[in-house]
């Protein structure tokens, strides 16, 4: 099963639900690139790794404040579920649905 594609996502943050579109582009071997674009701008995926249907990656948030994000998600069919670890703000839930 390919994890590639774009997903309409929602991250449950302390500022309320943040919507965005997560785009996953497979790279060489078990790597991937892409980005997430939403209300607070765009962030590039860094160090993306694929293990079966599980994804791990990092992003550097700049708005509303600079912060490194550690992300993990599992793709099951067209559904994506995961977690975003955001420093002192703890871990937030991430959900998404593949766009057609």
């Amino acid at each position: 099963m390919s994890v590639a594609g774009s997903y309409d996502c929602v991250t449950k943050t302390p500022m309320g639900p943040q919507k965005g579109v997560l785009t996953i582009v497979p790279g060489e071997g078990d790597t991937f690139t892409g980005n997430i674009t939403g209300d607070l701008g765009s962030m590039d995926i860094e160090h993306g790794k694929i293990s079966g249907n599980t994804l791990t990656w990092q992003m550097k948030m700049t708005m509303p404040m600079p912060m490194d994000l550690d992300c993990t998600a599992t793709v099951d069919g067209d559904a994506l579920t995961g977690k975003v670890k955001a420093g002192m703000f703890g871990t937030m839930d991430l959900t998404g649905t593949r766009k057609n």
Side-chain angles (χ1 to χ4, degrees):
M1 174 193 67
S2 174
V3 297
S6 294
Y7 298 80
D8 285 319
C9 292
V10 176
T11 305
K12 293 181 182 173
T13 77
M15 300 182 335
Q18 297 295 311
K19 294 181 180 179
V21 176
L22 175 66
T23 301
I24 298 168
V25 180
E28 298 278 325
D30 64 350
T31 67
F32 71 95
T33 60
N35 62 36
I36 189 164
T37 303
D39 296 336
L40 297 177
S42 180
M43 292 182 283
D44 290 332
I45 289 172
E46 299 177 356
H47 312 293
K49 294 279 186 193
I50 302 170
S51 177
N53 64 340
T54 300
L55 310 171
T56 57
W57 71 97
Q58 286 82 43
M59 296 184 292
K60 292 191 182 303
M61 184 173 79
T62 57
M63 294 294 288
M65 67 186 71
M67 185 179 305
D68 291 339
L69 305 176
D70 291 313
C71 310
T72 184
T74 301
V75 177
D76 184 8
D78 289 334
L80 179 143
T81 56
K83 302 281 185 185
V84 177
K85 186 175 181 208
M88 63 186 173
F89 292 103
T91 302
M92 302 172 285
D93 290 332
L94 169 69
T95 57
T97 305
R98 190 186 310 256
K99 296 173 68 138
N100 290 333

